Amino acid sequence: MSEYYFDGKGKAFRPIIVALMARACNIHHNNSRHVQASQRTIALIAEMIHTASLVHDDVIDDASSRRGKHTVNKIWGEKKAVLAGDLILSAASIALARIGNTTVISILTQVIEDLVRGEFLQLGSKENENERFAHYLEKTFKKTASLIANSCKAVSVLGCPDPVVHEIAYQYGKNVGIAFQLIDDVLDFTSCSDQMGKPTSADLKLGLATGPVLFACQQGFPSNSWFRGFKKSFGDFWRSPRDDSTLPFPRNECYDHAKVQFAGRCRQSSTVCVTGKTIFKRKAAAGTTWQSPLIQKCKH
C-alpha cells in the first residue's frame, strides 16, 4: 500500500524544485553543481511527505481516483489507508533524522504541523468578505506551499551558510507553491478528469471555497448570505441534487453568479461544464448527461 503511489507516474514536481534549488545554492556558495547526498534526501523526503498527505486527503475527501488510478482508500479501505499514510510519514521522519542536522529537522517538522493546521483552516471560513481571500491564501500556504518553501530552505541550509540565501530559498518555494495551488484550483473547474488524473470539481462537491469562487464573489455574488450557506448548499447539491428544501437559497441563484467566472468556454469532456448559465454533470460511463430541472443542457 505504501508503495502504491511511488510508481514513477507522478509529476515529481516537488523533488525536482528542491533538487534544482540545492544545485543553485551550491553554485552560489562554492561554484559546485554537485548535489549533496543529504540534499537529495531532502528532495525524497519532500515527495514522501506529499504522498502521505495525498493518502490522508483522499480518506478525508472520500476520493475515488488519484494519478489516473483508484485511491488507496477505495482499494484497501479507509483504516488501512490512514495507516499507510502514517507509515510513509514515519519513513520520511527516519530519513530526516539520519541527516543529523538539527536545524534541518526543525525546518521540515514545521511542514507536518502546517499540513494539519491547513486542513483545519480548510474546514472553516471567514464571515468578513475582506478576510476570506487572506484565509484562503493562509490555508493554501500551509497545505501546499509550506512543504516546498521549507524543503527549499532546508537544502539551502545544507549547501550555503548565508542566512540571506536561506530566506531567498524559502520565499521562492513559498511563492511557487502558492502559484501552483492557485492554478490547480482553476484547473479543478476548467479541466476534465482524464487530464487531471483525479476527479474534477472536487472542491465544489466538498463545499470548499477556492480562488475561483472567491473571485466570483467579488464580481457579484450575494456575498454574505451566499457565502454562509456555501458549504451546506454545494455539499447538499452534489449529494442530493433533487432536494431543494435543504438549501438556504435557490440553486439557480448560485449558477447565475458562478457562471462565466470559472471557465471561459465549454469543455464537453469535463465532469462539470460551466458556460454562461449552464452547468451540468456528465455520467462518464454511460456517456449521457444528468441534469436537474434548474439546469439547462449545454448547447456547445
Side-chain angles (χ1 to χ4, degrees):
M1 284 185 290
S2 298
E3 297 176 354
Y4 184 64
Y5 288 137
F6 295 101
D7 56 3
K9 295 182 180 179
K11 296 183 292 292
F13 172 74
R14 289 157 187 82
I16 290 173
I17 289 290
V18 174
L20 289 174
M21 177 58 71
R23 178 176 290 181
C25 291
N26 295 347
I27 291 173
H28 173 77
H29 178 56
N30 56 17
N31 202 30
S32 171
R33 298 177 62 86
H34 175 70
V35 177
Q36 303 170 24
S38 58
Q39 292 173 318
R40 290 196 297 270
T41 299
I42 296 296
L44 294 174
I45 291 170
E47 184 67 6
M48 294 170 74
I49 293 174
H50 170 61
T51 302
S53 73
L54 294 183
V55 175
H56 286 159
D57 279 352
D58 287 342
V59 174
I60 294 171
D61 300 341
D62 193 29
S64 59
S65 64
R66 170 79 66 179
R67 294 178 177 174
K69 58 185 182 180
H70 294 301
T71 55
V72 173
N73 50 293
K74 288 300 178 184
I75 298 175
W76 289 286
E78 291 185 355
K79 292 181 180 180
K80 289 184 178 180
V82 170
L83 293 173
D86 291 346
L87 181 61
I88 297 171
L89 275 178
S90 67
S93 299
I94 292 171
L96 178 60
R98 285 174 177 166
I99 292 175
N101 186 306
T102 55
T103 301
V104 169
I105 293 173
S106 177
I107 290 170
L108 284 182
T109 50
Q110 181 64 46
V111 173
I112 299 175
E113 178 184 336
D114 285 344
L115 282 169
V116 177
R117 290 185 179 275
E119 199 64 48
F120 276 111
L121 284 172
Q122 184 168 275
L123 297 175
S125 62
K126 294 292 185 180
E127 287 292 319
N128 187 334
E129 59 182 303
N130 296 324
E131 298 176 356
R132 288 174 192 151
F133 202 79
H135 179 88
Y136 165 67
L137 288 180
E138 183 183 4
K139 182 269 298 182
T140 297
F141 168 74
K142 290 187 180 299
K143 284 200 65 178
T144 303
S146 173
L147 174 59
I148 302 174
N150 284 294
S151 297
C152 286
K153 183 177 181 178
V155 294
S156 73
V157 168
L158 292 170
C160 177
D162 188 351
V164 175
V165 174
H166 304 165
E167 181 62 20
I168 290 172
Y170 177 86
Q171 291 297 330
Y172 174 82
K174 175 182 177 180
N175 289 312
V176 168
I178 290 175
F180 179 89
Q181 189 59 50
L182 288 171
I183 295 300
D184 191 67
D185 289 343
V186 172
L187 292 175
D188 191 54
F189 284 91
T190 61
S191 296
C192 65
S193 298
D194 291 340
Q195 291 173 319
M196 295 288 284
K198 58 184 179 181
T200 51
S201 303
D203 295 325
L204 272 180
K205 296 175 187 177
L206 294 169
L208 301 178
T210 56
V213 171
L214 296 175
F215 280 122
C217 283
Q218 295 176 357
Q219 299 297 319
F221 270 124
S223 55
N224 288 328
S225 61
W226 188 92
F227 206 89
R228 280 194 296 268
F230 177 80
K231 288 177 176 291
K232 179 174 176 57
S233 299
F234 274 97
D236 288 348
F237 166 72
W238 288 107
R239 286 190 296 270
S240 180
R242 296 181 183 83
D243 182 10
D244 286 324
S245 63
T246 60
L247 305 184
F249 53 85
R251 283 184 298 189
N252 56 339
E253 181 178 299
C254 302
Y255 303 138
D256 287 348
H257 290 284
K259 50 183 180 181
V260 78
Q261 302 299 329
F262 303 144
R265 61 188 179 89
C266 170
R267 299 173 183 267
Q268 292 195 26
S269 59
S270 297
T271 303
V272 173
C273 168
V274 181
T275 174
K277 295 183 180 180
T278 301
I279 177 170
F280 64 84
K281 183 178 179 182
R282 282 185 177 275
K283 292 182 178 178
T288 59
T289 299
W290 170 88
Q291 61 185 81
S292 157
L294 292 176
I295 303 175
Q296 304 171 8
K297 186 175 181 181
C298 177
K299 302 185 185 301
H300 292 258

